[in-house]
Structures are given as structure tokens and as C-alpha cells.
């Protein structure tokens, strides 16, 4: 069943949203992710407590008030949690502070502010030449389950409470997901029926497709949104995704939570993606000593995925255990963060990672950032700033730094060296999973740079030379990562005593790339119809 699903999704890849060119705009960005309720408080408090299952008071205005904290790390885009009106009830699963339990797609969640406040946040970001990325829920609506908290099989849902999907015909019949390996089951059944019921939208319905398109088109236009994060993307009909993105007119990143490259990459020609299979391998590399597994996954992603430069790399998010809860070793945390920032793809850092915040399963991974005091002297905050600076500098020098795939120069099960970019802005990044107790030793990296080149290790601002045939001798110690860059081209980076070139990465092409033509739209519709036929044939073969 899974193989057939992947084949069907791959065929649907003929459906290409005409805004896909915007992938190149996003590929040069780096993203900081916040949960609006948990980022900052309007009164500026850094000591206010937070019940992790309740609303804690963060707003869009308080994000605006604290944008310097984000921009000073070098980020060029901000991802915020869903903005639409959510169910107001408290349940055994808590309140909808996270934004994933919508009831009205056309109204904003007033716990976070007004529609004008959200527009002001968008304007404030654009004034800083930063993009706005909004998390959206496309597969279900939500309501509190009365009584025992468990929805009875014969329960009658009041669909009239939802906007705009206010009739039963827009939904799949009530059923529980019982097999997470069966696409039919997890795409057509309800994600939750306990405490909070999540009626599952029928995304094969022409009415749902049209209504979803109308909604997202208005959301993007009203708040000048630059991109979308699509929650639970694999839980909708695959053919729905390109139609939804086409209606939005902006680039989108789908959540396809899978540890396997084929399942994730099957969606890479439908939408941008959070690189989940790389995430799981990266966690294993830096917490379980499996660097070889990470290398193998990177090779699989290069082979199987389209548009690798537009995959999002991350080490933490709102659904996963925080890295500091896997290990409190700072050297390992530094390596994980360095990988996110320097590997092929778009870096995304979740609020608190730069403060080495701990947190296990949800809601433990959603603690407020304000209790850290927005510490700009924290080791990982400064590391993030340095890595963003060298990445942005390399891209400003030559955009091919984004598009050229990294080349592995050295690998053993504790160490990996990766070279990326054209010669004049080439980075060499050395990762280690030995941790702070790792010893001192010399790593010989072959074919690192042209012969007799001076390169600067930007985390320590020390310079060394490649030898007469271009090999580099790296002094490893205490498991810390190393990032090298050609010394002669550091001017403009603001690093290691060099001047800083003013101005952020240009995003002036985003509006032009967002327009679509009628003929392109017809192509998308035709391809989708053909894809539906293939899906139907696939199921007939079961």
C-alpha cells in the first residue's frame, strides 16, 4: 500500500504550482520559528509563569517589540503559529494556544491580537526585509468532545459551528486512524476523537478544494504573507496540495513526518518540505553516535528529492523533543545547530534552541522563551549569529552557494567534513559527535581548498593554510564543530574583525513570481485529474 501511494504521489508531481520559482527566493533565507503565545509578553516580563496547557499571553504585537532579538541572529524570515480563530474551550488536552484547532478560518485568534495587529507584524517584518511564514491547518476543523471526552461512533457533529466548512458533506465520515502505515486510513479518518475531535475534511471534494482556495488566497492577500507551512500535509489527498498552493500564490513547506527518504521525497515535487528524514538521522548522528547514518540519508535525499536547496533543516520544532533533552552536552548541541545552518537546504531554528532550552514531549517542548531573558550572550545565540552571518555572506557573494550540493570529503562514525559552494565562497564544515569529552587529534581533510590557500575558521577566527595539494589539517578538540572560509573573501561578512556589508538578502522577486496564468492553472487542473485516475487505478489493484 505504501509503495503504491508513493508512486501515485510521484505521478501527481506533474502538477506543478506555477509559483514554484519562488523556491529560489526561499532557499537563500533562514527561518526563526515561534509559537506566538510563547515568544514574548506585551508587558515585557521575563519572569511570568506559564501553564503549558493554557494561553500564556504572547501576541503579535509582542513579537514586533522583540524582532531585534531575531534579526540580530541574522534570520531573514519568521515562522509564526496558525492565526485563525480556534475553539475556546478548555479540555483534558488544554486550550488551543498552539493554533491547531480551528473553528473559523476567516477570523483571527483574538488571544494573539486583532487583524490589524497581524498586518502590522507583516509590515514590520517587510520593513526589515524579512519574510513572513504562516503555519496553516488544511486537513480538519475542531471541537471539544463533551461528556467523557471520547467521541461515540454514532455521535452527531454540529458542523454549522464551523466557517466556512459548515456542512457534513465537506467531511469524511467519522472513523479513527488505526493504521499509520495505511495512507487511505490516515488520509480519510479523523486525526483525533478524544477530548478534541478533529473532523477530517474531504480534500477530494471539488467544493472543499474551491473553498480552501478562496480562504488561503484571502489570507495571503490580507496579511501580505510570503510563505506557508502546511501542517500534516500527508494527511490530505496528495492532489489537493498543488491546487491549494496554486491558490495561495506563495511558496509552501509541507510537513511529511517520516524517517524514510522515499516517503518524504515523494512529496518534493508537490510542495516544499520540512526535511524530516534528515532530522531523524541528524538526531541519531549527534546523540547516538551514528554519523554514517546521517551521511547515508544525505545521499538518499540528494538522489530521491527534487529541489533539495528548498528543504527545511531543523533540530527542534513544536512537536519534537528538544535537543537539550536528548543530551545536555554543549558541544553536541553546537554541532547539531551548525548542521542545521550549514547543510544543503533552508535552516530553521525553533525558539529556545539558541538558549539550549530543554523540553520533552508536548507540551514540554512549548515552554515560553521569555523566561530565558532573551539572553543575547548565550553560547548558542552567538553561534547562530555567526553561522547566519557566514551563510548570508557566502550567498551574497555567489548565489550558487545555495544551489550547489555539498560534497563529503571525510567520514567516519564520529566525524564528517562537508565542502559547499563555489571556490571563492566555499565553506568547509567539520562535524563531530564526540562531545565535550572528545580528545585532541588531527583530522586530515583531502581536497579541501586550492593549494596553499589561507582559510579562516570563523568560530575561533584562527587561520591556517592548505598544503601544496589542497589538503587541510584540522585540529580537533573537545568535539566542537569547525567552519572554514577563504580568508581573502571575508570582507563584508562582519566576522573576525572584518567590515559588515549592509543590506539583507534581496527578496524583490517574490511578487513577480507569485503571479499565475490561466493556462498554467488549466495545466494544474488537467494534471490533477490524470493523477486522480492513476490513484483510482492503484486502489483497484489492491
Amino acid at each position: 500500500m505504501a509503495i503504491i501511494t508513493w508512486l501515485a504521489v510521484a505521478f501527481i508531481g506533474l502538477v506543478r504550482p506555477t509559483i514554484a520559482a519562488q523556491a529560489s527566493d526561499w532557499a537563500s533565507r533562514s527561518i526563526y520559528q515561534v509559537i506566538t503565545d510563547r515568544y514574548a509578553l506585551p508587558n515585557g516580563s521575563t519572569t511570568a509563569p506559564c501553564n503549558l496547557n493554557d494561553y500564556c499571553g504572547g501576541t503579535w504585537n509582542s513579537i514586533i517589540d522583540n524582532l531585534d532579538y531575531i534579526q540580530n541572529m541574522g534570520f531573514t524570515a519568521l515562522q509564526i503559529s496558525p492565526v485563525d480563530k480556534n475553539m475556546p474551550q478548555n479540555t483534558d488536552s488544554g486550550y488551543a494556544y498552539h493554533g491547531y484547532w480551528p473553528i473559523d478560518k476567516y477570523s483571527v485568534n483574538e488571544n494573539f491580537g486583532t487583524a490589524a495587529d497581524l498586518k502590522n507584524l507583516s509590515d514590520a517584518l517587510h520593513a526589515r526585509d524579512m519574510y513572513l511564514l504562516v503555519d496553516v491547518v488544511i486537513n480538519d476543523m475542531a471541537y471539544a468532545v463533551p461528556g467523557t471526552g471520547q467521541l461515540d461512533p454514532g455521535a452527531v457533529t454540529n458542523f454549522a459551528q464551523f466557517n466556512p466548512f459548515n456542512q457534513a458533506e465537506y467531511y469524511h465520515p467519522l472513523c479513527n486512524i488505526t493504521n499509520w502505515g495505511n495512507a487511505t486510513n490516515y488520509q480519510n479518518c479523523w486525526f483525533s476523537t478524544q477530548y478534541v475531535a478533529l473532523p477530517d475534511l474531504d480534500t477530494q471534494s471539488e467544493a472543499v478544494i474551491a473553498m480552501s482556495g478562496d480562504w488561503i488566497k484571502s489570507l495571503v492577500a490580507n496579511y501580505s504573507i510570503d510563505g506557508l507551512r502546511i501542517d500534516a500535509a500527508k494527511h490530505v489527498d496528495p492532489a489537493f496540495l498543488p491546487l491549494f498552493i496554486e491558490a495561495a500564490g506563495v511558496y509552501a513547506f509541507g510537513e511529511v513526518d517520516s524517517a524514510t527518504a522515499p516517503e518524504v521525497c515523494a512529496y518534493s515535487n508537490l510542495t516544499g518540505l520540512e526535511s524530516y528524514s534528515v532530522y531523524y538521522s541528524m538526531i541519531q548522528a549527534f546523540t547516538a553516535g551514528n554519523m554514517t547514518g546521517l551521511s547515508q540519508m544525505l545521499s538518499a535525499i540528494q538522489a530521491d528529492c527534487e529541489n533539495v536547496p528548498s528543504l527545511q533543516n531543523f533540530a527542534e520544532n513544536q512537536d519534537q523533543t528538544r535537543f537539550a533533552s536528548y543530551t545536555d552536552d554543549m558541544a553536541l548541541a553546537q554541532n547539531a545547530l551548525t548542521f542545521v545552518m550549514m547543510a544543503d537546504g533552508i535552516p530553521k531554528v525553533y525558539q529556545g534552541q539558541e538558549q539550549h532550552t530543554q523540553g520533552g514531549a508536548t507540551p514540554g517542548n512549548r515552554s515560553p522563551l521569555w523566561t530565558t531573558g532573551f539572553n543575547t550572550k548565550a553560547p548558542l545565540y552567538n553561534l547562530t549569529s555567526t553561522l547566519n552571518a557566514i551563510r548570508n555572506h557566502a550567498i551574497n557573494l555567489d548565489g550558487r552557494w545555495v544551489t550547489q550540493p555539498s560534497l563529503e570529503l571525510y567520514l567516519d562514525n564520529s566525524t564528517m567534513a562537508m565542502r559547499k559552494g563555489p571556490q571563492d565562497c566555499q565553506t568547509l564544515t567539520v562535524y563531530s559527535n564526540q562531545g565535550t569529552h572528545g580528545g585532541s587529534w588531527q583530522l586530515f581533510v583531502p581536497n579541501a581548498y586550492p593549494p596553499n590557500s589561507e582559510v579562516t575558521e570563523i568560530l575561533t577566527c584562527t587561520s591556517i593554510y592548505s598544503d601544496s595539494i589542497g589538503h587541510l589539517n584540522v585540529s580537533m578538540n573537545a568535539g566542537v564543530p569547525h567552519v572554514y572560509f577563504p580568508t581573502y573573501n571575508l570582507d563584508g561578512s562582519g566576522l573576525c574583525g572584518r567590515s559588515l556589508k549592509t543590506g539583507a538578502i534581496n527578496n524583490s522577486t517574490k511578487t513577480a513570481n507569485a503571479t499565475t496564468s490561466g493556462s498554467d492553472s488549466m495545466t494544474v487542473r488537467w494534471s490533477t485529474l490524470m493523477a486522480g485516475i492513476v490513484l483510482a487505478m492503484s486502489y483497484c489493484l489492491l
Side-chain angles (χ1 to χ4, degrees), residues 161-314:
Q161 66 186 298
F162 303 131
N163 182 28
F165 308 106
N166 57 5
Q167 298 179 38
E169 66 189 66
Y170 301 138
Y171 299 86
H172 290 124
L174 172 61
C175 59
N176 291 309
I177 298 177
T178 56
N179 184 354
W180 293 93
N182 184 308
T184 301
N185 187 237
Y186 65 66
Q187 288 174 3
N188 294 344
C189 288
W190 295 22
F191 200 90
S192 171
T193 59
Q194 186 176 32
Y195 305 132
V196 178
L198 300 177
D200 193 74
L201 286 164
D202 179 4
T203 51
Q204 291 178 308
S205 159
E206 284 295 322
V208 171
I209 292 170
M211 294 163 71
S212 297
D214 289 344
W215 160 65
I216 197 61
K217 187 180 299 183
S218 68
L219 183 74
V220 168
N222 288 342
Y223 302 107
S224 301
I225 294 168
D226 303 292
L228 303 172
R229 186 253 182 191
I230 300 177
D231 186 61
K234 75 175 186 178
H235 289 268
V236 301
D237 176 47
F240 173 82
L241 290 170
L243 298 177
F244 181 79
I245 298 169
E246 179 81 6
V250 294
Y251 200 64
F253 303 90
E255 177 199 22
V256 178
D257 188 347
S258 172
T260 66
E263 186 171 10
V264 172
C265 291
Y267 285 82
S268 65
N269 48 11
L270 301 180
T271 173
L273 291 165
E274 295 174 321
S275 195
Y276 256 97
S277 55
V278 171
Y279 160 77
Y280 287 115
S281 295
M282 182 273 299
I283 292 295
Q284 287 295 303
F286 296 119
T287 66
N290 188 8
M291 193 72 80
T292 302
L294 177 57
S295 171
Q296 292 169 345
M297 180 57 70
L298 294 175
S299 295
I301 288 293
Q302 287 290 349
D304 296 344
C305 271
E306 293 193 17
N307 204 9
V308 173
S310 293
L311 299 180
Q312 287 183 6
N313 293 315
F314 62 97

Side-chain angles (χ1 to χ4, degrees), residues 111-133:
N111 290 282
F112 308 141
T114 65
D117 294 336
L118 180 55
K119 183 63 170 67
N120 288 340
L121 173 59
S122 177
D123 291 344
L125 288 166
H126 293 152
R128 295 167 179 258
D129 197 24
M130 296 173 70
Y131 281 179
L132 174 61
L133 179 67

Side-chain angles (χ1 to χ4, degrees), residues 30-34 73 75 77-79 313-317 337 340-341 346-355 380 384 388:
S30 60
I31 303 166
Y32 187 78
Q33 177 194 351
V34 304
M73 278 187 282
F75 288 105
L78 174 70
Q79 176 182 318
N313 293 315
F314 62 97
E316 299 181 10
N317 66 23
L337 179 58
V340 167
M341 299 300 300
I346 303 170
K348 182 161 73 174
V349 172
Y350 175 48
Q351 64 171 63
Q353 182 181 353
E354 75 283 2
Q355 300 291 343
L380 295 182
T384 304
N388 255 327

Side-chain angles (χ1 to χ4, degrees), residues 335-419:
N335 277 275
L337 179 58
T338 301
F339 176 82
V340 167
M341 299 300 300
M342 301 305 295
D344 294 341
I346 303 170
K348 182 161 73 174
V349 172
Y350 175 48
Q351 64 171 63
Q353 182 181 353
E354 75 283 2
Q355 300 291 343
H356 203 46
T357 301
Q358 294 188 343
T362 304
N365 50 13
R366 299 173 179 177
S367 59
L369 180 68
W370 61 76
T371 58
T372 68
F374 299 95
N375 182 8
T376 58
K377 296 182 180 180
L380 295 182
Y381 183 96
N382 288 321
L383 176 61
T384 304
S385 177
T386 298
L387 295 172
N388 255 327
I390 198 62
R391 182 179 186 272
N392 291 339
H393 180 60
I395 295 169
N396 281 328
L397 288 174
D398 193 328
R400 291 178 298 168
W401 190 91
V402 170
T403 57
Q404 287 188 2
S406 295
L407 177 65
E408 182 181 287
L409 300 182
Y410 179 88
L411 176 70
D412 62 37
N413 215 29
S414 72
T415 310
M416 180 167 63
M418 303 290 287
R419 190 181 70 199

